Amino acid sequence: GIQVEQSPPDLILQEGANSTLRCNFSDSVNNLQWFHQNPWGQLINLFYIPSGTKQNGRLSATTVATERYSLLYISSSQTTDSGVYFCAVAGTGTASKLTFGTGTRLQVTL
Amino acid sequence: GAVVSQHPSRVICKSGTSVKIECRSLDFQATTMFWYRQFPKQSLMLMATSNEGSKATYEQGVEKDKFLINHASLTLSTLTVTSAHPEDSSFYICSAVGVPTNEKLFFGSGTQLSVL
Protein backbone atom coordinates (compact mmCIF):
# COMPACT_ATOMS: atom_id res chain seq x y z
CA GLY A 1 0.00 0.00 0.00
CA ILE A 2 0.88 3.66 -0.16
CA GLN A 3 3.31 4.95 2.44
CA VAL A 4 2.73 8.44 3.83
CA GLU A 5 5.36 10.26 5.81
CA GLN A 6 5.04 13.65 7.41
CA SER A 7 7.63 16.04 8.69
CA PRO A 8 8.52 17.39 11.10
CA PRO A 9 7.03 14.98 13.65
CA ASP A 10 6.92 17.68 16.31
CA LEU A 11 6.92 21.44 16.09
CA ILE A 12 6.80 24.17 18.72
CA LEU A 13 6.02 27.70 17.59
CA GLN A 14 5.55 31.01 19.26
CA GLU A 15 2.24 32.68 18.55
CA GLY A 16 2.42 34.72 15.36
CA ALA A 17 5.07 32.57 13.67
CA ASN A 18 4.64 30.85 10.32
CA SER A 19 5.27 27.18 9.57
CA THR A 20 5.35 24.66 6.75
CA LEU A 21 4.33 21.04 7.21
CA ARG A 22 5.29 18.46 4.63
CA CYS A 23 3.64 15.23 3.45
CA ASN A 24 5.47 12.76 1.19
CA PHE A 25 3.72 9.80 -0.38
CA SER A 26 5.10 6.79 -2.16
CA ASP A 27 2.73 6.36 -5.13
CA SER A 28 0.31 8.20 -7.39
CA VAL A 29 -2.77 9.50 -5.63
CA ASN A 30 -6.13 10.81 -6.75
CA ASN A 31 -7.23 11.95 -3.33
CA LEU A 32 -5.28 13.93 -0.72
CA GLN A 33 -6.73 15.64 2.31
CA TRP A 34 -5.32 17.53 5.27
CA PHE A 35 -6.89 17.25 8.72
CA HIS A 36 -6.40 18.92 12.07
CA GLN A 37 -7.02 16.83 15.18
CA ASN A 38 -7.64 19.03 18.20
CA PRO A 39 -6.58 18.04 21.74
CA TRP A 40 -10.02 16.47 22.34
CA GLY A 41 -9.64 14.12 19.39
CA GLN A 42 -11.96 15.78 16.87
CA LEU A 43 -10.68 15.74 13.30
CA ILE A 44 -11.50 18.70 11.10
CA ASN A 45 -11.14 18.56 7.35
CA LEU A 46 -8.89 21.43 6.27
CA PHE A 47 -8.38 20.79 2.57
CA TYR A 48 -9.25 18.36 -0.18
CA ILE A 49 -6.28 18.91 -2.48
CA PRO A 50 -5.17 16.10 -4.81
CA SER A 51 -3.31 18.72 -6.85
CA GLY A 52 -2.78 22.45 -7.07
CA THR A 53 -3.01 25.15 -4.43
CA LYS A 54 -5.82 26.25 -2.13
CA GLN A 55 -6.12 28.86 0.58
CA ASN A 56 -8.49 29.22 3.48
CA GLY A 57 -7.76 32.15 5.76
CA ARG A 58 -4.39 31.70 7.44
CA LEU A 59 -4.01 28.22 6.01
CA SER A 60 -2.97 27.23 2.54
CA ALA A 61 -1.93 23.98 0.91
CA THR A 62 -0.08 22.95 -2.20
CA THR A 63 0.14 19.48 -3.71
CA VAL A 64 2.67 18.62 -6.41
CA ALA A 65 1.31 15.26 -7.45
CA THR A 66 4.05 14.53 -9.99
CA GLU A 67 6.66 14.85 -7.27
CA ARG A 68 4.53 13.09 -4.65
CA TYR A 69 4.39 15.67 -1.93
CA SER A 70 2.05 18.18 -0.36
CA LEU A 71 2.71 21.18 1.87
CA LEU A 72 0.49 22.82 4.46
CA TYR A 73 1.30 26.42 5.35
CA ILE A 74 0.16 27.99 8.58
CA SER A 75 0.66 31.74 8.85
CA SER A 76 0.40 33.92 11.94
CA SER A 77 -0.12 30.88 14.14
CA GLN A 78 -2.48 31.01 17.10
CA THR A 79 -2.71 28.84 20.20
CA THR A 80 -5.91 27.33 18.79
CA ASP A 81 -3.83 25.90 15.94
CA SER A 82 -2.26 23.45 18.39
CA GLY A 83 -2.95 19.78 17.80
CA VAL A 84 -1.94 17.14 15.31
CA TYR A 85 -2.01 17.69 11.56
CA PHE A 86 -2.56 14.65 9.39
CA CYS A 87 -2.16 14.23 5.69
CA ALA A 88 -4.19 11.36 4.20
CA VAL A 89 -4.08 9.95 0.68
CA ALA A 90 -5.85 7.45 -1.52
CA GLY A 91 -4.41 5.84 -4.62
CA THR A 92 -6.05 5.43 -7.99
CA GLY A 93 -9.02 3.10 -7.82
CA THR A 94 -9.43 3.35 -4.06
CA ALA A 95 -11.56 6.48 -4.00
CA SER A 96 -12.10 7.65 -0.43
CA LYS A 97 -10.23 4.86 1.33
CA LEU A 98 -7.59 7.08 2.87
CA THR A 99 -4.24 6.11 4.32
CA PHE A 100 -3.17 8.48 7.05
CA GLY A 101 0.31 9.83 7.51
CA THR A 102 2.33 9.80 10.69
CA GLY A 103 1.17 13.28 11.69
CA THR A 104 2.85 16.50 12.81
CA ARG A 105 2.22 17.48 16.41
CA LEU A 106 2.10 21.28 16.67
CA GLN A 107 2.23 23.28 19.86
CA VAL A 108 1.76 27.05 19.67
CA THR A 109 2.87 28.94 22.74
CA LEU A 110 2.20 32.50 23.90
CA GLY B 1 -19.65 21.66 6.39
CA ALA B 2 -21.16 18.23 6.79
CA VAL B 3 -21.80 17.01 10.32
CA VAL B 4 -21.11 13.51 11.61
CA SER B 5 -22.35 12.64 15.07
CA GLN B 6 -20.78 9.79 17.06
CA HIS B 7 -22.01 8.36 20.36
CA PRO B 8 -21.06 7.62 23.01
CA SER B 9 -18.00 9.81 23.43
CA ARG B 10 -16.65 7.69 26.22
CA VAL B 11 -17.51 4.21 27.49
CA ILE B 12 -16.07 2.06 30.23
CA CYS B 13 -17.06 -1.59 30.29
CA LYS B 14 -16.13 -4.86 31.90
CA SER B 15 -14.15 -7.47 30.06
CA GLY B 16 -16.42 -9.86 28.16
CA THR B 17 -19.23 -7.41 27.51
CA SER B 18 -20.21 -5.92 24.15
CA VAL B 19 -20.25 -2.24 23.29
CA LYS B 20 -22.10 -0.52 20.46
CA ILE B 21 -20.92 2.76 18.93
CA GLU B 22 -23.21 4.78 16.66
CA CYS B 23 -22.19 7.05 13.82
CA ARG B 24 -24.74 9.30 12.13
CA SER B 25 -24.50 11.71 9.24
CA LEU B 26 -26.81 14.56 10.22
CA ASP B 27 -27.12 16.66 7.09
CA PHE B 28 -26.00 14.49 4.18
CA GLN B 29 -26.40 11.00 2.81
CA ALA B 30 -23.41 8.86 3.74
CA THR B 31 -22.99 6.34 0.98
CA THR B 32 -19.77 5.10 2.55
CA MET B 33 -18.64 5.10 6.15
CA PHE B 34 -15.24 4.24 7.52
CA TRP B 35 -14.20 3.10 10.99
CA TYR B 36 -10.77 3.95 12.31
CA ARG B 37 -8.87 3.06 15.44
CA GLN B 38 -6.28 5.30 17.04
CA PHE B 39 -3.85 4.49 19.84
CA PRO B 40 -2.36 7.28 21.96
CA LYS B 41 0.02 9.52 20.04
CA GLN B 42 -0.35 7.42 16.90
CA SER B 43 -1.97 7.81 13.54
CA LEU B 44 -5.36 6.54 12.45
CA MET B 45 -5.62 2.95 11.28
CA LEU B 46 -8.50 2.00 9.01
CA MET B 47 -10.47 -0.93 10.35
CA ALA B 48 -13.28 -1.33 7.85
CA THR B 49 -15.30 0.28 5.10
CA SER B 50 -19.06 0.01 4.97
CA ASN B 51 -21.47 0.85 2.20
CA GLU B 52 -25.16 1.28 2.85
CA GLY B 53 -27.03 -1.98 2.49
CA SER B 54 -24.01 -4.22 1.98
CA LYS B 55 -21.51 -6.10 4.12
CA ALA B 56 -18.54 -4.24 5.47
CA THR B 57 -15.07 -4.76 4.04
CA TYR B 58 -12.47 -5.31 6.74
CA GLU B 59 -8.80 -4.46 6.56
CA GLN B 60 -6.25 -7.19 6.92
CA GLY B 61 -5.78 -8.22 10.53
CA VAL B 62 -9.14 -6.88 11.74
CA GLU B 63 -11.40 -9.60 13.16
CA LYS B 64 -14.82 -9.21 11.58
CA ASP B 65 -16.46 -11.35 14.26
CA LYS B 66 -15.09 -9.12 17.00
CA PHE B 67 -15.85 -5.80 15.31
CA LEU B 68 -19.34 -6.05 13.86
CA ILE B 69 -20.29 -3.25 11.51
CA ASN B 70 -23.78 -2.49 10.28
CA HIS B 71 -24.67 0.25 7.78
CA ALA B 72 -28.41 -0.14 7.60
CA SER B 73 -29.28 3.30 6.24
CA LEU B 74 -27.74 6.24 4.46
CA THR B 75 -27.36 8.08 7.76
CA LEU B 76 -26.40 5.43 10.30
CA SER B 77 -23.55 2.99 10.81
CA THR B 78 -22.80 1.08 13.99
CA LEU B 79 -19.68 -0.63 15.29
CA THR B 80 -20.16 -3.31 17.95
CA VAL B 81 -17.12 -4.51 19.83
CA THR B 82 -18.08 -7.99 20.94
CA SER B 83 -16.68 -9.71 24.04
CA ALA B 84 -14.40 -6.77 24.68
CA HIS B 85 -11.01 -7.28 26.27
CA PRO B 86 -8.52 -4.77 27.68
CA GLU B 87 -6.49 -4.87 24.47
CA ASP B 88 -9.56 -3.50 22.64
CA SER B 89 -9.26 -0.28 24.63
CA SER B 90 -8.66 2.48 22.14
CA PHE B 91 -10.08 5.61 20.49
CA TYR B 92 -12.55 4.65 17.74
CA ILE B 93 -13.50 7.21 15.10
CA CYS B 94 -16.04 7.02 12.31
CA SER B 95 -16.04 9.03 9.14
CA ALA B 96 -18.31 9.40 6.17
CA VAL B 97 -18.46 10.51 2.56
CA GLY B 98 -21.48 10.83 0.35
CA VAL B 99 -23.84 13.25 -1.25
CA PRO B 100 -22.96 16.08 -1.56
CA THR B 101 -19.58 15.78 0.20
CA ASN B 102 -18.20 13.61 -2.59
CA GLU B 103 -14.59 12.66 -1.82
CA LYS B 104 -14.19 14.95 1.17
CA LEU B 105 -14.12 13.00 4.42
CA PHE B 106 -15.89 14.16 7.59
CA PHE B 107 -15.32 12.67 11.01
CA GLY B 108 -17.31 11.99 14.12
CA SER B 109 -15.91 13.16 17.45
CA GLY B 110 -14.66 9.71 18.41
CA THR B 111 -15.35 7.21 21.18
CA GLN B 112 -12.83 6.44 23.89
CA LEU B 113 -13.34 2.80 24.90
CA SER B 114 -11.82 1.54 28.13
CA VAL B 115 -12.21 -2.16 28.94
CA LEU B 116 -11.50 -3.10 32.53
Side-chain angles (χ1 to χ4, degrees), chain B residues 38-65:
Chain B
Q38 185 179 32
F39 291 107
K41 297 191 185 298
Q42 293 190 20
S43 186
L44 281 73
M45 297 297 294
L46 180 65
M47 299 175 64
T49 302
S50 72
N51 294 296
E52 184 265 338
S54 59
K55 287 185 178 180
T57 303
Y58 291 81
E59 294 300 301
Q60 191 172 8
V62 177
E63 299 177 58
K64 62 180 181 181
D65 293 331

PDB file of all heavy atoms in Angstrom, chain B residues 38-65:
ATOM      1  N   GLN B  38      -7.459   4.480  16.794  1.00  0.00           N
ATOM      2  CA  GLN B  38      -6.277   5.295  17.043  1.00  0.00           C
ATOM      3  C   GLN B  38      -5.761   5.032  18.446  1.00  0.00           C
ATOM      4  O   GLN B  38      -6.509   5.190  19.424  1.00  0.00           O
ATOM      5  CB  GLN B  38      -6.606   6.785  16.876  1.00  0.00           C
ATOM      6  CG  GLN B  38      -5.397   7.692  16.991  1.00  0.00           C
ATOM      7  CD  GLN B  38      -5.753   9.160  16.807  1.00  0.00           C
ATOM      8  OE1 GLN B  38      -6.844   9.593  17.165  1.00  0.00           O
ATOM      9  NE2 GLN B  38      -4.831   9.937  16.253  1.00  0.00           N
ATOM     10  N   PHE B  39      -4.505   4.645  18.545  1.00  0.00           N
ATOM     11  CA  PHE B  39      -3.851   4.486  19.838  1.00  0.00           C
ATOM     12  C   PHE B  39      -3.194   5.804  20.210  1.00  0.00           C
ATOM     13  O   PHE B  39      -2.914   6.637  19.334  1.00  0.00           O
ATOM     14  CB  PHE B  39      -2.839   3.342  19.784  1.00  0.00           C
ATOM     15  CG  PHE B  39      -3.483   1.994  19.659  1.00  0.00           C
ATOM     16  CD1 PHE B  39      -3.449   1.289  18.460  1.00  0.00           C
ATOM     17  CD2 PHE B  39      -4.154   1.430  20.736  1.00  0.00           C
ATOM     18  CE1 PHE B  39      -4.065   0.054  18.339  1.00  0.00           C
ATOM     19  CE2 PHE B  39      -4.764   0.190  20.626  1.00  0.00           C
ATOM     20  CZ  PHE B  39      -4.720  -0.488  19.419  1.00  0.00           C
ATOM     21  N   PRO B  40      -2.916   5.995  21.518  1.00  0.00           N
ATOM     22  CA  PRO B  40      -2.355   7.280  21.960  1.00  0.00           C
ATOM     23  C   PRO B  40      -1.112   7.677  21.182  1.00  0.00           C
ATOM     24  O   PRO B  40      -0.204   6.867  20.975  1.00  0.00           O
ATOM     25  CB  PRO B  40      -2.047   7.023  23.438  1.00  0.00           C
ATOM     26  CG  PRO B  40      -3.031   5.977  23.845  1.00  0.00           C
ATOM     27  CD  PRO B  40      -3.183   5.083  22.639  1.00  0.00           C
ATOM     28  N   LYS B  41      -1.105   8.924  20.746  1.00  0.00           N
ATOM     29  CA  LYS B  41       0.022   9.524  20.041  1.00  0.00           C
ATOM     30  C   LYS B  41       0.381   8.783  18.746  1.00  0.00           C
ATOM     31  O   LYS B  41       1.524   8.847  18.289  1.00  0.00           O
ATOM     32  CB  LYS B  41       1.245   9.614  20.957  1.00  0.00           C
ATOM     33  CG  LYS B  41       1.023  10.511  22.172  1.00  0.00           C
ATOM     34  CD  LYS B  41       2.314  10.779  22.899  1.00  0.00           C
ATOM     35  CE  LYS B  41       2.073  11.571  24.179  1.00  0.00           C
ATOM     36  NZ  LYS B  41       1.481  12.906  23.920  1.00  0.00           N
ATOM     37  N   GLN B  42      -0.583   8.097  18.172  1.00  0.00           N
ATOM     38  CA  GLN B  42      -0.351   7.415  16.901  1.00  0.00           C
ATOM     39  C   GLN B  42      -1.333   7.892  15.845  1.00  0.00           C
ATOM     40  O   GLN B  42      -2.264   8.646  16.136  1.00  0.00           O
ATOM     41  CB  GLN B  42      -0.446   5.895  17.089  1.00  0.00           C
ATOM     42  CG  GLN B  42       0.654   5.313  17.953  1.00  0.00           C
ATOM     43  CD  GLN B  42       0.672   3.803  17.914  1.00  0.00           C
ATOM     44  OE1 GLN B  42       0.145   3.158  17.006  1.00  0.00           O
ATOM     45  NE2 GLN B  42       1.298   3.208  18.914  1.00  0.00           N
ATOM     46  N   SER B  43      -1.103   7.426  14.639  1.00  0.00           N
ATOM     47  CA  SER B  43      -1.971   7.813  13.539  1.00  0.00           C
ATOM     48  C   SER B  43      -3.243   6.984  13.545  1.00  0.00           C
ATOM     49  O   SER B  43      -3.429   6.111  14.381  1.00  0.00           O
ATOM     50  CB  SER B  43      -1.219   7.642  12.218  1.00  0.00           C
ATOM     51  OG  SER B  43      -1.977   8.144  11.143  1.00  0.00           O
ATOM     52  N   LEU B  44      -4.115   7.282  12.587  1.00  0.00           N
ATOM     53  CA  LEU B  44      -5.359   6.540  12.453  1.00  0.00           C
ATOM     54  C   LEU B  44      -5.135   5.306  11.599  1.00  0.00           C
ATOM     55  O   LEU B  44      -4.484   5.374  10.554  1.00  0.00           O
ATOM     56  CB  LEU B  44      -6.436   7.399  11.789  1.00  0.00           C
ATOM     57  CG  LEU B  44      -7.153   8.417  12.663  1.00  0.00           C
ATOM     58  CD1 LEU B  44      -6.256   9.593  13.003  1.00  0.00           C
ATOM     59  CD2 LEU B  44      -8.416   8.913  11.971  1.00  0.00           C
ATOM     60  N   MET B  45      -5.714   4.199  12.041  1.00  0.00           N
ATOM     61  CA  MET B  45      -5.623   2.949  11.284  1.00  0.00           C
ATOM     62  C   MET B  45      -7.028   2.560  10.833  1.00  0.00           C
ATOM     63  O   MET B  45      -7.933   2.403  11.651  1.00  0.00           O
ATOM     64  CB  MET B  45      -5.037   1.835  12.154  1.00  0.00           C
ATOM     65  CG  MET B  45      -3.619   2.096  12.612  1.00  0.00           C
ATOM     66  SD  MET B  45      -2.457   2.188  11.233  1.00  0.00           S
ATOM     67  CE  MET B  45      -2.537   0.514  10.643  1.00  0.00           C
ATOM     68  N   LEU B  46      -7.194   2.387   9.535  1.00  0.00           N
ATOM     69  CA  LEU B  46      -8.499   2.002   9.008  1.00  0.00           C
ATOM     70  C   LEU B  46      -8.829   0.572   9.406  1.00  0.00           C
ATOM     71  O   LEU B  46      -8.013  -0.335   9.221  1.00  0.00           O
ATOM     72  CB  LEU B  46      -8.501   2.123   7.477  1.00  0.00           C
ATOM     73  CG  LEU B  46      -9.793   1.751   6.771  1.00  0.00           C
ATOM     74  CD1 LEU B  46     -10.918   2.717   7.160  1.00  0.00           C
ATOM     75  CD2 LEU B  46      -9.597   1.762   5.257  1.00  0.00           C
ATOM     76  N   MET B  47     -10.021   0.403   9.962  1.00  0.00           N
ATOM     77  CA  MET B  47     -10.469  -0.933  10.352  1.00  0.00           C
ATOM     78  C   MET B  47     -11.359  -1.549   9.276  1.00  0.00           C
ATOM     79  O   MET B  47     -11.193  -2.715   8.927  1.00  0.00           O
ATOM     80  CB  MET B  47     -11.263  -0.870  11.662  1.00  0.00           C
ATOM     81  CG  MET B  47     -10.494  -0.350  12.851  1.00  0.00           C
ATOM     82  SD  MET B  47     -11.556  -0.170  14.285  1.00  0.00           S
ATOM     83  CE  MET B  47     -12.032  -1.873  14.591  1.00  0.00           C
ATOM     84  N   ALA B  48     -12.318  -0.766   8.795  1.00  0.00           N
ATOM     85  CA  ALA B  48     -13.282  -1.327   7.851  1.00  0.00           C
ATOM     86  C   ALA B  48     -13.989  -0.222   7.103  1.00  0.00           C
ATOM     87  O   ALA B  48     -14.051   0.933   7.558  1.00  0.00           O
ATOM     88  CB  ALA B  48     -14.293  -2.193   8.585  1.00  0.00           C
ATOM     89  N   THR B  49     -14.517  -0.605   5.956  1.00  0.00           N
ATOM     90  CA  THR B  49     -15.298   0.283   5.097  1.00  0.00           C
ATOM     91  C   THR B  49     -16.688  -0.304   4.962  1.00  0.00           C
ATOM     92  O   THR B  49     -16.830  -1.510   4.708  1.00  0.00           O
ATOM     93  CB  THR B  49     -14.659   0.371   3.711  1.00  0.00           C
ATOM     94  OG1 THR B  49     -13.308   0.833   3.846  1.00  0.00           O
ATOM     95  CG2 THR B  49     -15.440   1.319   2.812  1.00  0.00           C
ATOM     96  N   SER B  50     -17.707   0.536   5.134  1.00  0.00           N
ATOM     97  CA  SER B  50     -19.061   0.014   4.973  1.00  0.00           C
ATOM     98  C   SER B  50     -19.852   0.867   4.000  1.00  0.00           C
ATOM     99  O   SER B  50     -19.770   2.092   4.027  1.00  0.00           O
ATOM    100  CB  SER B  50     -19.789  -0.057   6.319  1.00  0.00           C
ATOM    101  OG  SER B  50     -20.145   1.227   6.792  1.00  0.00           O
ATOM    102  N   ASN B  51     -20.566   0.194   3.136  1.00  0.00           N
ATOM    103  CA  ASN B  51     -21.467   0.850   2.199  1.00  0.00           C
ATOM    104  C   ASN B  51     -22.900   0.507   2.574  1.00  0.00           C
ATOM    105  O   ASN B  51     -23.173  -0.632   2.981  1.00  0.00           O
ATOM    106  CB  ASN B  51     -21.178   0.404   0.769  1.00  0.00           C
ATOM    107  CG  ASN B  51     -19.811   0.858   0.299  1.00  0.00           C
ATOM    108  OD1 ASN B  51     -19.552   2.041   0.181  1.00  0.00           O
ATOM    109  ND2 ASN B  51     -18.940  -0.088   0.070  1.00  0.00           N
ATOM    110  N   GLU B  52     -23.776   1.467   2.438  1.00  0.00           N
ATOM    111  CA  GLU B  52     -25.157   1.285   2.846  1.00  0.00           C
ATOM    112  C   GLU B  52     -25.771   0.065   2.173  1.00  0.00           C
ATOM    113  O   GLU B  52     -25.672  -0.086   0.959  1.00  0.00           O
ATOM    114  CB  GLU B  52     -25.961   2.550   2.518  1.00  0.00           C
ATOM    115  CG  GLU B  52     -27.399   2.522   2.981  1.00  0.00           C
ATOM    116  CD  GLU B  52     -28.360   2.061   1.895  1.00  0.00           C
ATOM    117  OE1 GLU B  52     -28.007   2.168   0.714  1.00  0.00           O
ATOM    118  OE2 GLU B  52     -29.470   1.617   2.242  1.00  0.00           O
ATOM    119  N   GLY B  53     -26.320  -0.814   3.000  1.00  0.00           N
ATOM    120  CA  GLY B  53     -27.028  -1.977   2.492  1.00  0.00           C
ATOM    121  C   GLY B  53     -26.170  -3.159   2.128  1.00  0.00           C
ATOM    122  O   GLY B  53     -26.692  -4.184   1.687  1.00  0.00           O
ATOM    123  N   SER B  54     -24.860  -3.076   2.311  1.00  0.00           N
ATOM    124  CA  SER B  54     -24.008  -4.220   1.984  1.00  0.00           C
ATOM    125  C   SER B  54     -23.063  -4.530   3.136  1.00  0.00           C
ATOM    126  O   SER B  54     -22.919  -3.738   4.070  1.00  0.00           O
ATOM    127  CB  SER B  54     -23.222  -3.959   0.696  1.00  0.00           C
ATOM    128  OG  SER B  54     -22.423  -2.824   0.831  1.00  0.00           O
ATOM    129  N   LYS B  55     -22.422  -5.675   3.043  1.00  0.00           N
ATOM    130  CA  LYS B  55     -21.513  -6.099   4.117  1.00  0.00           C
ATOM    131  C   LYS B  55     -20.271  -5.224   4.137  1.00  0.00           C
ATOM    132  O   LYS B  55     -19.790  -4.769   3.099  1.00  0.00           O
ATOM    133  CB  LYS B  55     -21.110  -7.556   3.907  1.00  0.00           C
ATOM    134  CG  LYS B  55     -22.206  -8.556   4.218  1.00  0.00           C
ATOM    135  CD  LYS B  55     -21.684  -9.989   4.109  1.00  0.00           C
ATOM    136  CE  LYS B  55     -22.770 -10.983   4.476  1.00  0.00           C
ATOM    137  NZ  LYS B  55     -22.279 -12.382   4.385  1.00  0.00           N
ATOM    138  N   ALA B  56     -19.744  -5.035   5.338  1.00  0.00           N
ATOM    139  CA  ALA B  56     -18.538  -4.237   5.470  1.00  0.00           C
ATOM    140  C   ALA B  56     -17.326  -4.980   4.934  1.00  0.00           C
ATOM    141  O   ALA B  56     -17.279  -6.215   4.942  1.00  0.00           O
ATOM    142  CB  ALA B  56     -18.328  -3.882   6.937  1.00  0.00           C
ATOM    143  N   THR B  57     -16.359  -4.207   4.485  1.00  0.00           N
ATOM    144  CA  THR B  57     -15.073  -4.758   4.042  1.00  0.00           C
ATOM    145  C   THR B  57     -14.048  -4.437   5.103  1.00  0.00           C
ATOM    146  O   THR B  57     -13.823  -3.264   5.411  1.00  0.00           O
ATOM    147  CB  THR B  57     -14.654  -4.138   2.697  1.00  0.00           C
ATOM    148  OG1 THR B  57     -15.663  -4.367   1.732  1.00  0.00           O
ATOM    149  CG2 THR B  57     -13.337  -4.741   2.239  1.00  0.00           C
ATOM    150  N   TYR B  58     -13.411  -5.486   5.638  1.00  0.00           N
ATOM    151  CA  TYR B  58     -12.473  -5.311   6.742  1.00  0.00           C
ATOM    152  C   TYR B  58     -11.037  -5.286   6.228  1.00  0.00           C
ATOM    153  O   TYR B  58     -10.687  -5.994   5.283  1.00  0.00           O
ATOM    154  CB  TYR B  58     -12.643  -6.445   7.755  1.00  0.00           C
ATOM    155  CG  TYR B  58     -13.955  -6.371   8.511  1.00  0.00           C
ATOM    156  CD1 TYR B  58     -15.139  -6.845   7.942  1.00  0.00           C
ATOM    157  CD2 TYR B  58     -14.012  -5.804   9.777  1.00  0.00           C
ATOM    158  CE1 TYR B  58     -16.347  -6.762   8.622  1.00  0.00           C
ATOM    159  CE2 TYR B  58     -15.211  -5.727  10.475  1.00  0.00           C
ATOM    160  CZ  TYR B  58     -16.372  -6.198   9.881  1.00  0.00           C
ATOM    161  OH  TYR B  58     -17.568  -6.103  10.552  1.00  0.00           O
ATOM    162  N   GLU B  59     -10.217  -4.498   6.891  1.00  0.00           N
ATOM    163  CA  GLU B  59      -8.803  -4.461   6.562  1.00  0.00           C
ATOM    164  C   GLU B  59      -8.116  -5.715   7.116  1.00  0.00           C
ATOM    165  O   GLU B  59      -8.613  -6.365   8.048  1.00  0.00           O
ATOM    166  CB  GLU B  59      -8.151  -3.216   7.148  1.00  0.00           C
ATOM    167  CG  GLU B  59      -8.662  -1.925   6.538  1.00  0.00           C
ATOM    168  CD  GLU B  59      -8.424  -1.851   5.041  1.00  0.00           C
ATOM    169  OE1 GLU B  59      -7.254  -1.928   4.619  1.00  0.00           O
ATOM    170  OE2 GLU B  59      -9.425  -1.707   4.295  1.00  0.00           O
ATOM    171  N   GLN B  60      -6.999  -6.015   6.518  1.00  0.00           N
ATOM    172  CA  GLN B  60      -6.246  -7.190   6.924  1.00  0.00           C
ATOM    173  C   GLN B  60      -5.880  -7.097   8.397  1.00  0.00           C
ATOM    174  O   GLN B  60      -5.422  -6.048   8.864  1.00  0.00           O
ATOM    175  CB  GLN B  60      -4.971  -7.313   6.075  1.00  0.00           C
ATOM    176  CG  GLN B  60      -4.255  -8.633   6.220  1.00  0.00           C
ATOM    177  CD  GLN B  60      -3.111  -8.770   5.220  1.00  0.00           C
ATOM    178  OE1 GLN B  60      -2.758  -7.825   4.519  1.00  0.00           O
ATOM    179  NE2 GLN B  60      -2.523  -9.942   5.156  1.00  0.00           N
ATOM    180  N   GLY B  61      -6.120  -8.181   9.111  1.00  0.00           N
ATOM    181  CA  GLY B  61      -5.781  -8.224  10.528  1.00  0.00           C
ATOM    182  C   GLY B  61      -6.909  -7.797  11.457  1.00  0.00           C
ATOM    183  O   GLY B  61      -6.774  -7.927  12.676  1.00  0.00           O
ATOM    184  N   VAL B  62      -8.003  -7.296  10.911  1.00  0.00           N
ATOM    185  CA  VAL B  62      -9.138  -6.884  11.738  1.00  0.00           C
ATOM    186  C   VAL B  62     -10.141  -8.033  11.783  1.00  0.00           C
ATOM    187  O   VAL B  62     -10.602  -8.503  10.744  1.00  0.00           O
ATOM    188  CB  VAL B  62      -9.801  -5.616  11.173  1.00  0.00           C
ATOM    189  CG1 VAL B  62     -11.026  -5.240  12.014  1.00  0.00           C
ATOM    190  CG2 VAL B  62      -8.810  -4.472  11.128  1.00  0.00           C
ATOM    191  N   GLU B  63     -10.488  -8.465  13.007  1.00  0.00           N
ATOM    192  CA  GLU B  63     -11.397  -9.600  13.157  1.00  0.00           C
ATOM    193  C   GLU B  63     -12.836  -9.155  12.937  1.00  0.00           C
ATOM    194  O   GLU B  63     -13.396  -8.402  13.735  1.00  0.00           O
ATOM    195  CB  GLU B  63     -11.267 -10.181  14.560  1.00  0.00           C
ATOM    196  CG  GLU B  63      -9.880 -10.708  14.906  1.00  0.00           C
ATOM    197  CD  GLU B  63      -9.828 -11.189  16.347  1.00  0.00           C
ATOM    198  OE1 GLU B  63     -10.626 -12.092  16.701  1.00  0.00           O
ATOM    199  OE2 GLU B  63      -9.024 -10.647  17.120  1.00  0.00           O
ATOM    200  N   LYS B  64     -13.453  -9.642  11.890  1.00  0.00           N
ATOM    201  CA  LYS B  64     -14.817  -9.210  11.577  1.00  0.00           C
ATOM    202  C   LYS B  64     -15.837  -9.723  12.586  1.00  0.00           C
ATOM    203  O   LYS B  64     -16.900  -9.125  12.755  1.00  0.00           O
ATOM    204  CB  LYS B  64     -15.208  -9.638  10.172  1.00  0.00           C
ATOM    205  CG  LYS B  64     -15.216 -11.126   9.937  1.00  0.00           C
ATOM    206  CD  LYS B  64     -15.620 -11.435   8.501  1.00  0.00           C
ATOM    207  CE  LYS B  64     -15.659 -12.929   8.239  1.00  0.00           C
ATOM    208  NZ  LYS B  64     -16.037 -13.232   6.833  1.00  0.00           N
ATOM    209  N   ASP B  65     -15.530 -10.837  13.261  1.00  0.00           N
ATOM    210  CA  ASP B  65     -16.464 -11.353  14.261  1.00  0.00           C
ATOM    211  C   ASP B  65     -16.356 -10.604  15.581  1.00  0.00           C
ATOM    212  O   ASP B  65     -17.267 -10.661  16.407  1.00  0.00           O
ATOM    213  CB  ASP B  65     -16.204 -12.840  14.498  1.00  0.00           C
ATOM    214  CG  ASP B  65     -16.537 -13.671  13.281  1.00  0.00           C
ATOM    215  OD1 ASP B  65     -17.434 -13.256  12.511  1.00  0.00           O
ATOM    216  OD2 ASP B  65     -15.894 -14.718  13.081  1.00  0.00           O
TER     217      ASP B  65
END
